Amino acid sequence: MRTVARPTALKVGVVGKGGVGKTTIAGLLARAWSERGRTVVAVDTDSNPNLGLSLGLSLAETEAVPVLPRSVVVGRGGGLAAADLVEQYGRPTPAGPTLISAIRVAEAGAGCTCGGHATVRSLLADALADVDLTLVDMEAGLEHLSRSGGTLAHADLLLVVCEPTRKSVLTAARTAALAAELGIPQVLAVGNKARTPEDEEYLRGALAEEGLAVAGVLPYEEQVAQADRAGTTGALTPSPAVRTALDDVLDAVDAADPAGLG
Ligand SMILES: Nc1ncnc2c1ncn2[C@@H]1O[C@H](COP(=O)(O)OP(=O)(O)OP(=O)(O)O)[C@@H](O)[C@H]1O
Ligand SMILES: [Mg+2]
């Protein structure tokens, strides 16, 4: 493993159509990166947050993670550095990564979540010197790429998760186009829930047709679905097939990172 210190954290957004497996994959990847000895900050931007469950926290512990203040300007021009924000609001998880809860809608009629997205945008714009990777689990849809300035405008890389369905592949293609407009340097696709070799073939073929490189394809696995129902995704031991796919994704991200993660 190289020991060169990174000047700033690599910033990766996990995006894709609703229900494709963004949170599951963000949790598994964040844990796997930690297991490779990297320092990881995992940011939950879902207004109904549950990334904590995928990182081994209980529901009560997930709900107790303090939410980032809205519309904070981090770094130059603001009073707070990204490192201070992580120090104040980050919480350790059994899986290894530090969890940040960026947005939570706790009551009806409380207004839009734009202020929370602005804080995340600002957090990603600043440097986190002691962190190797900042991984942001996004809410479904494209709004985070279209809203003023783009929540992920300062991401280095997007991982767009896809199921073997035409609609999720089309969402991935639209995501890649918006990412290019925002100037996000790289987009890689991650296939998920492939039940058969034909599913994987479809995903690889359809994504290639859209000009998207595939970092890895995870199989559909009953143990993943069951762990979700039991609330134990954070303690899941990935099967060899899932492990291989996760390693493929980690290696693809390492290869895509010009500064080198390790
Ligand atoms: N590889 C897999 N095999 C089996 N089930 C999976 C797999 N990946 C995800 N799932 C299941 O799919 C469901 C949706 O997963 P998840 O919540 O991670 O999706 P999401 O994209 O984050 O959803 P949302 O758009 O609501 O944020 C969950 O029940 C999860 O357990
Ligand atoms: Mg999710």
Side-chain angles (χ1 to χ4, degrees):
M1 192 186 291
R2 277 172 35 211
T3 51
V4 180
R6 288 185 54 81
T8 57
L10 180 72
K11 293 143 189 171
V12 175
V14 181
V15 299
K17 196 173 179 325
V20 290
K22 297 177 291 297
T23 302
T24 305
I25 288 178
L28 289 169
L29 284 176
R31 172 148 60 111
W33 255 303
S34 274
E35 286 167 1
R36 284 191 177 191
R38 277 68 179 270
T39 311
V40 181
V41 170
V43 183
D44 193 345
T45 67
D46 200 322
S47 52
N48 178 22
N50 49 28
L51 182 60
L53 296 175
S54 295
L55 294 172
L57 296 181
S58 67
L59 185 58
E61 288 166 337
T62 298
E63 287 174 347
V65 176
V67 182
L68 286 185
R70 294 187 173 191
S71 303
V72 164
V73 177
V74 176
R76 227 181 316 154
L80 209 61
D84 299 332
L85 209 66
V86 172
E87 173 80 28
Q88 279 182 40
Y89 293 92
R91 291 295 177 269
T93 65
T98 296
L99 176 65
I100 298 266
S101 185
I103 290 152
R104 185 178 301 148
V105 173
E107 58 191 65
C112 76
T113 60
C114 293
H117 283 273
T119 303
V120 174
R121 181 177 194 275
S122 189
L123 171 70
L124 295 182
D126 197 26
L128 275 170
D130 299 329
V131 174
D132 296 311
L133 181 88
T134 306
L135 190 70
V136 186
D137 176 27
M138 294 304 298
E139 204 163 21
L142 300 173
E143 204 194 342
H144 44 77
L145 295 169
S146 73
R147 75 173 72 238
S148 174
T151 314
L152 292 173
H154 299 285
D156 303 304
L157 173 76
L158 297 189
L159 291 174
V160 55
V161 182
C162 274
E163 296 176 312
T165 66
R166 184 81 197 136
K167 285 181 181 168
S168 79
V169 171
L170 286 175
T171 301
R174 291 184 191 120
T175 302
L178 288 170
E181 277 179 43
L182 273 178
I184 298 171
Q186 302 235 33
V187 178
L188 294 173
V190 177
N192 191 28
K193 304 191 193 180
R195 291 172 192 263
T196 60
E198 290 73 29
D199 278 353
E200 178 163 350
E201 204 176 307
Y202 169 75
L203 272 167
R204 290 188 181 279
L207 289 164
E209 262 178 43
E210 300 294 346
L212 278 162
V214 180
V217 178
L218 281 78
Y220 180 92
E221 280 197 356
E222 202 44 47
Q223 61 147 355
V224 175
Q226 274 171 12
D228 175 78
R229 282 175 225 136
T232 56
T233 308
L236 184 75
T237 303
S239 69
V242 169
R243 182 83 253 172
T244 300
L246 291 173
D247 283 339
D248 287 347
V249 177
L250 298 189
D251 291 344
V253 172
D254 272 352
D257 173 20
L261 262 177

